[in-house]
Amino acid sequence: MSRFWSNTVKGLTPYVPGEQPKLSQLIKLNTNESPYGPSPKALAAIASANTDALRLYPDPNSDALKQAIAKVHGLNPQQIFVGNGSDEVLAHAFLGLLKHDAPILFPDITYSFYPVYCNLYDIAFENVPLNEDFSISIDAYLNKNGGKNGGIIFPNPNAPTGRALSLKNIKDLLDGNKNSVVVIDEAYVDFGTESAVSLVNQYDNLLVTHTLSKSYALAGLRVGYAVGHPELIEGLERVKNSFNSYPIDKLAMAGAIAAVEDQAYLQKISQAVIQTRTELVKSLDQLGFETIPSSANFIFTKHPQHDASKIATSLRDKHIIVRYFKMPRIDQHLRITIGTDEQCAKLIEALKEIIN
Ligand SMILES: *Cc1c(COP(=O)(O)O)cnc(C)c1O
């Protein structure tokens, strides 16, 4: 604590990301990165952008990237907002679209950046508990506070549970909640969930966020985007242009465009992750683990006879890192990122030794 800190800074409880250890030889299954490299076309595009032109500022509006994203989704560029990772896109959505008198709603177990943004921007929020099986109840949102809220946000599939809602559920939520913005954070949508992007032309209060960090294997590039009604997008642009005019640098711009245009590669590596996930869940079943059905590139699992934090520590001793949350309701679960088949085989070997 410094006497020079503002009261705002004194009051912050920052998000703590999963660690990025400097050790090599680690099997890193803790932050939901892709085990595969980015599209070779994206890498080539970044290399070609590495020129003398870097002395110039990038396009502040990222028009070419918006066009590429719009094309993939069959929308127009006025429906696209891009940012420095979807965390930044979400931050602008909190300030620009979710800050109202009534509290916003999100699950008790969800992406832990949401309460951090609420704290930073002084946004009132209330948690809506997940069901016993960790599913999201749409009715609980529609009934909360007599249907009055400042906005609703959750990931689909949810993190860290991996459970997904159907598009029908999202539609029901939107039909029942027309007077505030609904943000669906689709960071993991490419691993087997129906996207709500197909609904943005029907609902002017729907904002869907995507990231290139997980399924596109570009966490290091920091690119995310939002899709929604042009007026929602304009709101985000107003915040962005009051904060940082150039969130997407030239290298990120080149790489992101090429990655988004390479849908075949995205499909290929997403399918590989899904296949490994199926095998991993089977192997965990055989060891007595109970795993929540996952639609993400991670699984959320627990062992009825073994303490989760102890398993995490023992795995670490064997140079495998997974994510453990010391939080109510989930302190007996582990979140494990889907690695390559080889990494997952090593994980299973290590778990066998630990629980026997
Ligand atoms: C990883 C993640 C993000 C943020 O992704 P970036 O684009 O890397 O900032 C957003 N929401 C959820 C639920 C995530 O898990």
Side-chain angles (χ1 to χ4, degrees):
M1 178 92 67
S2 155
R3 67 193 169 99
F4 300 113
W5 287 4
S6 68
N7 285 334
T8 303
V9 168
K10 284 178 194 158
L12 296 181
T13 313
Y15 176 75
V16 183
E19 61 176 323
Q20 298 291 347
K22 304 287 182 286
L23 296 167
S24 52
Q25 299 301 330
L26 262 186
I27 298 184
K28 189 174 176 304
L29 305 176
N30 67 329
T31 51
N32 301 342
E33 289 139 330
S34 173
Y36 305 108
S39 157
K41 291 178 183 168
L43 297 180
I46 294 166
S48 321
N50 185 12
T51 70
D52 173 68
L54 281 175
R55 69 196 171 76
L56 303 173
Y57 280 108
D59 170 12
N61 297 319
S62 307
D63 283 330
L65 176 55
K66 287 179 183 169
Q67 258 159 33
I69 293 166
K71 194 164 168 213
V72 162
H73 292 298
L75 298 169
N76 67 61
Q78 292 74 41
Q79 293 169 292
I80 313 295
F81 177 80
V82 295
N84 186 225
S86 62
D87 283 340
E88 185 182 79
V89 174
L90 289 166
H92 293 345
F94 272 80
L95 183 61
L97 304 172
L98 298 175
K99 186 175 160 93
H100 302 287
D101 291 338
I104 67 165
L105 308 177
F106 51 81
D108 58 338
I109 297 165
T110 194
Y111 189 36
S112 42
F113 229 130
Y114 302 159
V116 172
Y117 290 135
C118 287
N119 184 216
L120 174 63
Y121 293 127
D122 196 17
I123 299 168
F125 70 93
E126 287 183 28
N127 290 131
V128 180
L130 296 182
N131 295 325
E132 205 56 42
D133 66 356
F134 289 163
S135 58
I136 286 175
S137 160
I138 292 305
D139 284 341
Y141 283 83
L142 296 179
N143 296 330
K144 183 95 180 167
N145 299 341
K148 250 188 86 68
N149 60 68
I152 295 172
I153 179 168
F154 54 76
N156 192 38
N158 194 14
T161 66
R163 257 197 197 278
L165 289 174
S166 68
L167 195 57
K168 163 87 173 55
N169 291 142
I170 304 293
K171 229 171 163 308
D172 289 345
L173 176 67
L174 290 159
D175 286 330
N177 188 87
K178 303 228 165 193
N179 295 320
S180 69
V181 171
V182 173
V183 181
I184 308 294
D185 177 350
E186 293 190 347
Y188 301 101
V189 74
D190 295 319
F191 303 106
T193 302
E194 287 173 288
S195 174
V197 166
S198 62
L199 302 176
V200 296
N201 285 327
Q202 288 171 61
Y203 297 93
D204 64 0
N205 62 331
L206 170 63
L207 190 80
V208 182
T209 60
H210 280 201
T211 174
L212 271 60
S213 298
K214 314 297 176 27
S215 56
Y216 283 95
L218 283 167
L221 204 64
R222 309 304 302 130
V223 178
Y225 62 91
V227 178
H229 189 280
E231 285 176 11
L232 296 186
I233 300 304
E234 194 189 332
L236 297 176
E237 296 288 354
R238 287 172 70 101
V239 178
K240 172 243 168 198
N241 289 320
S242 308
F243 180 76
N244 176 6
S245 310
Y246 306 102
I248 309 287
D249 64 71
K250 285 193 174 200
L251 302 179
M253 177 92 155
I257 292 170
V260 165
E261 286 176 344
D262 195 355
Q263 289 291 306
Y265 186 81
L266 172 72
Q267 288 305 321
K268 189 174 96 176
I269 62 174
S270 302
Q271 283 308 316
V273 167
I274 291 171
Q275 203 163 356
T276 305
R277 182 178 72 204
T278 307
E279 293 306 315
L280 177 63
V281 171
K282 273 192 220 152
S283 307
L284 288 169
D285 276 356
Q286 284 164 6
L287 296 181
F289 280 88
E290 294 167 3
T291 307
I292 307 284
S294 170
S295 301
N297 67 341
F298 58 84
I299 48 113
F300 205 48
T301 193
K302 70 169 182 187
H303 197 291
Q305 279 98 43
H306 295 270
D307 181 71
S309 74
K310 284 191 186 141
I311 298 177
T313 307
S314 305
L315 281 173
R316 176 170 251 293
D317 293 341
K318 295 174 182 294
H319 303 285
I320 299 176
I321 41 178
V322 301
R323 193 93 194 255
Y324 171 72
F325 300 92
K326 196 172 167 52
M327 282 172 55
R329 291 189 78 182
I330 57 170
D331 67 351
Q332 281 311 313
H333 280 81
L334 295 173
R335 192 193 70 187
I336 306 176
T337 303
I338 309 298
T340 59
D341 286 331
E342 193 193 355
Q343 290 174 323
C344 290
K346 285 187 180 151
L347 168 74
I348 291 294
E349 279 319 302
L351 286 171
K352 268 186 197 154
E353 288 169 20
I354 291 164
I355 66 176
N356 287 332

